[in-house]
Amino acid sequence: MCALVKLIDALEILKHPRSDNAPAFRLGLACGFTPLHFETFLRAHLSQRFPGKRVHLDTGLFGDLIGNVERLARAPEETLMVVIEWQDLDPRLGIRSLGGWRTTDLQDIVTSVDQAIARLQGSLSQASDSLPICISAPTLPLPPLFMTSPRQASSCELQIRQLVASFVSSIAEEPGIRVLSSQQLDELSPLGDRLDVRSEVQSGFPYRLAHASTLAEIVATLVEPSTPKKALITDLDDTLWAGILGEAGPEGISWSLDQHSQLHGIYQQFLESLASVGILIGVASKNERQLVDRAFERTDLRVSTEDIYPVEAHWSRKSDSVGRILRVWNIGADAVVFLDDSPMEVAEVKEAFPKMECLVFPTGDYKAFWTLLKHLRQAFGKSVVNEEDLIRMKSIRDAETFHSVADGSDSLDDFLQTAAASMQVQFTRDGRDGRAFELLNKTNQFNLNGRRLTKAEWSAYFEDPAAFLMTVTYEDKYGPLGKIAAVLGRSDDKTVQIDFWVMSCRAFSRRIEHQTLRQIFEKFEAEDVHFDYQSTARNAPLQEFLAGLLGTPVLPGYSLSMAKFSSKPFELFQHVEEIVHG
Amino acid sequence: MVEVQDRLIRCFASVFPDLPEGQIRSASVETVPKWDSLAAVTLVAVLQEEFEVEIDLGDLPELTSFDAVLRYLSSHGLSPNGHK
């Protein structure tokens, strides 16, 4: 990342303002220094990340970081960006204050930093309830105020660094708070090239332009992270392991130091790490299936074969294998990375799936391998791991079983009656449900209107006393699906208005949507339910469901009466439990 | 000197986006309403980056017009092709 943007380039980007009609994105920038060119860079980077929006930045007062955090948290911001520098924790750690650097002052500075951090932490924790927060811990070098030579760390310096490290590690655990990686910044902006002493003294802006640009670019990606990829399809020979299985046999392939094939072991370990956070891993290999199964029986593999599904091992084209895997996973090619050591295979898959990221596995090239791992972590990085991530692979395997049994049943009713399905539904007026928010913003097929909400819009929705959130968690004898549906609506005197309704495609064919609607009618004793329906390019499953209830094509302004719903001849077999807390 | 002037025009155009290109050569603090202290500091930063020179903010009172900036850059060792 980081194509360094110069100040003149940033100004050029900002010369083309968005239309006044474009929706605004409001960011609060809390810092204790004059934001000056950092603000310009940040606005430019955010404008690029929000191409359809007008970026509006609010800033605060010079020298009052904590006050700025508290003020901006009360303003109508969508995200709060907090950029901390040492002088915000004690002015004596900057160069615009002459508070004293005597040895006897140092312990007092440590105490003062501790107190400032406590206050800042309290303000941030409170603010994080209402809006997402991105934080950059101090990026500048500490001034030479300690008694030791710069080559030797002093006790006070280490205490100050420890206080900050402890603070950021603690705050990073708060939901809704993202902390900038100092390692990433260190790679892109050398520590010695960050502080501009002249600018800091003369104008209160402490950064050299290159550092301001790099820092702004990274924090902009924290504000609006790229959508993480969902799945990886890997080749086997000279990729998952070193060697050709068909020639060396299951015992001849390797991934260890002593066989000079450690990179493949690291790669396996990396795949296991991805799988542990819900990334799907599949295999597309030109090999004999029987041999692959024997290789997968080796107990020294660094990735569990439980985490790999499906395995396409035969002599057909790789693109055919990839196509089948995508159908099993039911995800788009743009959410997948394909890895193979053969440039020809990579090209063949890329031609068949232009939106898929297809990469050559750099066998034997240590430097390129390291770059690849970092790139993959960038592509698959996610801020939180939820319960659904942990059961995703099992759920896909279970779905295969579910559909094969369903296909063999005499009727859907017969099948569903024996599925031992249970649903937990929860109605709440509290919007602090990260999974429901995620479902709303990533579900396409069963989606009432395709509308997305920012965190701020989501929170604002619940300011309406009539608003409710309904979530559905499902399980049957084929396995748990987790929390798979969310409905946002408003109830008023026997009428319910549904503004948003999404359900994971993993939950299709189980009449969960029918039961969801029944629960809404019953919960609110509703006579009519109105839907804010809009057709989208991808919500055909939702359209078919609604049209089936009404018996006519579905149109915007769709509504359904209890009488009409009850007259429909379908049976529901789920055991329903309402969760009442929350 | 033509190359320096062209690059300087680009700097002014980026800092004063509303200023028509034909008026940049005659621009001054008096004729450009948006030439305030913030714009002046931004202009200095852009000049430092573009021409790789160090400009002290104490010199801001000298930098009050396009011509003045051009003279300042020349007096600080910038050759006509823009290199020191």
Side-chain angles (χ1 to χ4, degrees):
Chain A
M1 68 174 287
C2 251
L4 192 65
V5 174
K6 293 171 72 175
L7 184 57
I8 198 167
D9 301 325
L11 290 165
E12 281 292 328
I13 291 168
L14 297 175
K15 266 170 77 173
H16 308 289
R18 305 278 148 74
S19 150
D20 288 345
N21 297 328
F25 173 76
R26 293 182 69 109
L27 177 87
L29 170 59
C31 59
F33 56 84
T34 309
L36 212 59
H37 314 308
F38 177 72
E39 181 182 342
T40 305
F41 283 121
L42 187 55
R43 285 175 57 214
H45 285 299
L46 288 172
S47 293
Q48 291 184 314
R49 294 194 81 78
F50 294 101
K53 293 191 174 183
R54 283 179 295 120
V55 174
H56 181 92
L57 242 71
D58 291 311
T59 56
L61 303 175
F62 181 83
D64 187 14
L65 173 74
I66 299 172
N68 291 338
V69 167
E70 291 166 351
R71 278 185 290 275
L72 289 167
R74 291 193 297 270
E77 313 295 349
E78 291 177 49
T79 299
L80 180 61
M81 165 65 57
V82 182
V83 181
I84 308 165
E85 288 301 347
W86 294 114
Q87 60 267 31
D88 299 317
L89 305 179
D90 187 310
R92 291 169 288 185
L93 294 177
I95 52 177
R96 291 177 63 86
S97 152
L98 301 176
W101 285 354
R102 291 170 305 182
T103 307
T104 50
D105 295 323
L106 297 182
Q107 200 53 52
D108 185 57
I109 291 177
V110 173
T111 304
S112 158
V113 167
D114 194 18
Q115 290 167 346
I117 283 176
R119 192 178 155 208
L120 182 58
Q121 187 154 6
S123 299
L124 290 171
S125 294
Q126 198 171 3
S128 70
D129 286 343
S130 56
L131 79 175
I133 300 178
C134 304
I135 297 177
S136 165
T139 68
L140 294 171
L142 280 162
L145 74 163
F146 306 105
M147 60 177 275
T148 52
S149 136
R151 292 187 177 84
Q152 181 186 346
S154 83
S155 169
C156 284
E157 177 190 349
L158 294 171
Q159 287 178 57
I160 289 170
R161 291 191 187 282
Q162 186 181 22
L163 286 170
V164 171
S166 171
F167 156 62
V168 289
S169 69
S170 162
I171 205 83
E173 291 178 5
E174 298 263 353
I177 292 187
R178 301 184 194 126
V179 177
L180 178 141
S181 160
S182 58
Q183 177 168 310
Q184 177 79 33
L185 186 64
D186 291 346
E187 280 194 20
L188 301 168
S189 179
L191 182 64
D193 293 343
R194 296 179 185 176
L195 176 65
D196 187 331
V197 175
R198 181 209 298 260
S199 174
E200 169 68 337
V201 170
Q202 292 189 340
S203 68
F205 178 68
Y207 298 150
R208 291 192 189 172
L209 291 180
H211 179 58
S213 175
T214 305
L215 182 60
E217 178 167 3
I218 301 177
V219 296
T221 62
L222 278 191
V223 171
E224 181 66 2
S226 304
T227 306
K229 301 278 187 189
K230 295 176 180 171
L232 185 148
I233 299 173
T234 183
D235 179 35
L236 295 178
D237 292 344
D238 283 333
T239 301
L240 191 70
W241 50 61
I244 308 296
L245 181 62
E247 295 172 2
E251 298 310 316
I253 53 176
S254 67
W255 47 87
S256 62
L257 273 179
D258 56 348
Q259 306 226 39
H260 311 294
S261 51
Q262 179 76 356
L263 295 190
H264 300 275
I266 299 170
Y267 176 58
Q268 289 181 17
Q269 182 171 266
F270 186 82
L271 293 188
E272 185 179 45
S273 161
L274 292 183
S276 72
V277 294
I279 306 299
L280 304 172
I281 309 291
V283 162
S285 170
K286 285 184 175 172
N287 253 313
E288 294 293 344
R289 177 61 195 239
Q290 200 181 7
L291 269 181
V292 170
D293 289 342
R294 282 176 52 206
F296 277 177
E297 286 170 6
R298 278 185 52 170
T299 54
D300 56 341
L301 269 170
R302 295 306 310 161
V303 55
S304 165
T305 52
E306 286 291 306
D307 291 330
I308 300 176
Y309 184 79
V311 174
E312 288 279 338
H314 42 67
W315 299 99
S316 301
R317 285 183 307 182
K318 284 282 172 85
S319 58
D320 293 342
S321 297
V322 169
R324 276 192 288 275
I325 293 170
L326 292 184
R327 281 193 291 280
V328 171
W329 286 342
N330 193 23
I331 59 177
D334 57 345
V336 178
V337 174
F338 173 76
L339 266 168
D340 197 303
D341 67 301
S342 161
M344 193 181 77
E345 302 285 21
V346 168
E348 195 260 328
V349 171
K350 183 69 181 173
E351 189 175 342
F353 301 96
K355 290 184 178 173
M356 187 175 291
E357 183 170 9
C358 299
L359 303 171
V360 175
F361 187 89
T363 304
D365 184 338
Y366 289 76
K367 189 176 173 190
F369 172 77
W370 195 244
T371 302
L372 171 69
L373 281 200
K374 290 199 292 183
H375 173 76
L376 291 177
R377 188 57 84 182
Q378 173 82 25
F380 289 102
K382 49 172 77 174
S383 299
V384 291
V385 178
N386 56 42
E387 198 180 324
E388 281 65 32
D389 290 326
L390 301 177
I391 63 170
R392 184 167 294 119
M393 179 59 94
K394 180 174 183 331
S395 171
I396 285 173
R397 286 179 188 268
D398 293 342
E400 285 286 287
T401 310
F402 178 94
H403 289 298
S404 64
V405 177
D407 291 347
S409 298
D410 291 338
S411 71
L412 186 59
D413 275 2
D414 289 346
F415 172 68
L416 291 177
Q417 199 163 11
T418 59
S422 65
M423 278 171 61
Q424 286 186 336
V425 298
Q426 182 171 22
F427 292 90
T428 175
R429 299 188 188 280
D430 183 346
R432 283 177 299 180
D433 187 321
R435 171 60 179 164
F437 179 71
E438 179 192 52
L439 271 173
L440 178 80
N441 282 305
K442 75 175 194 182
T443 305
N444 294 308
Q445 297 179 70
F446 195 96
N447 187 324
L448 186 61
N449 45 38
R451 283 167 53 205
R452 307 298 194 200
L453 287 179
T454 64
K455 186 79 185 292
E457 289 167 337
W458 171 273
S459 298
Y461 189 89
F462 293 96
E463 289 170 10
D464 182 342
F468 69 88
L469 165 66
M470 175 193 189
T471 56
V472 178
T473 303
Y474 177 91
E475 177 171 7
D476 58 31
K477 71 180 185 184
Y478 303 98
L481 296 186
K483 192 178 285 182
I484 38 75
V487 179
L488 273 184
R490 289 165 285 153
S491 63
D492 179 29
D493 191 24
K494 298 190 181 302
T495 299
V496 171
Q497 168 70 35
I498 295 183
D499 295 312
F500 300 86
W501 185 2
V502 292
M503 185 174 77
S504 166
C505 56
R506 290 184 291 123
F508 289 176
S509 310
R510 291 164 166 87
R511 293 190 186 150
I512 295 172
E513 60 275 37
H514 301 72
Q515 185 64 268
T516 301
L517 208 42
R518 172 180 284 180
Q519 294 302 314
I520 290 172
F521 272 115
E522 290 180 0
K523 173 75 180 177
F524 299 103
E525 297 177 351
E527 291 172 359
D528 291 289
V529 175
H530 302 290
F531 298 83
D532 185 8
Y533 163 78
Q534 286 294 328
S535 159
T536 75
R538 299 179 68 181
N539 70 354
L542 180 283
Q543 292 179 35
E544 285 169 20
F545 166 65
L546 292 183
L549 291 177
L550 209 57
T552 60
V554 60
L555 296 168
Y558 177 99
S559 63
L560 185 69
S561 67
M562 179 61 182
K564 183 88 180 172
F565 180 70
S566 301
S567 71
K568 287 290 156 185
F570 53 76
E571 283 198 75
L572 301 176
F573 303 103
Q574 304 96 338
H575 168 74
V576 180
E577 178 189 3
E578 183 179 345
I579 307 296
V580 290
H581 61 78
Chain B
M1 211 60 184
V2 174
E3 190 187 338
V4 175
Q5 286 201 21
D6 288 347
R7 290 164 63 192
L8 194 51
I9 286 171
R10 184 168 174 246
C11 293
F12 269 73
S14 69
V15 178
F16 304 110
D18 299 334
L19 191 60
E21 192 172 333
Q23 294 177 24
I24 288 178
R25 280 189 171 80
S26 58
S28 72
V29 171
E30 287 79 25
T31 62
V32 181
K34 289 194 173 171
W35 194 326
D36 56 14
S37 58
L38 178 61
V41 172
T42 305
L43 179 62
V44 163
V46 168
L47 295 172
Q48 290 186 129
E49 198 178 45
E50 176 65 19
F51 294 101
E52 294 178 9
V53 292
E54 294 234 338
I55 301 175
D56 195 291
L57 289 185
D59 294 339
L60 270 182
E62 283 182 50
L63 305 174
T64 54
S65 69
F66 182 89
D67 282 340
V69 173
L70 194 57
R71 280 196 302 276
Y72 182 92
L73 292 175
S74 305
S75 70
H76 283 72
L78 217 65
S79 68
N81 63 7
H83 299 297
K84 294 179 86 175

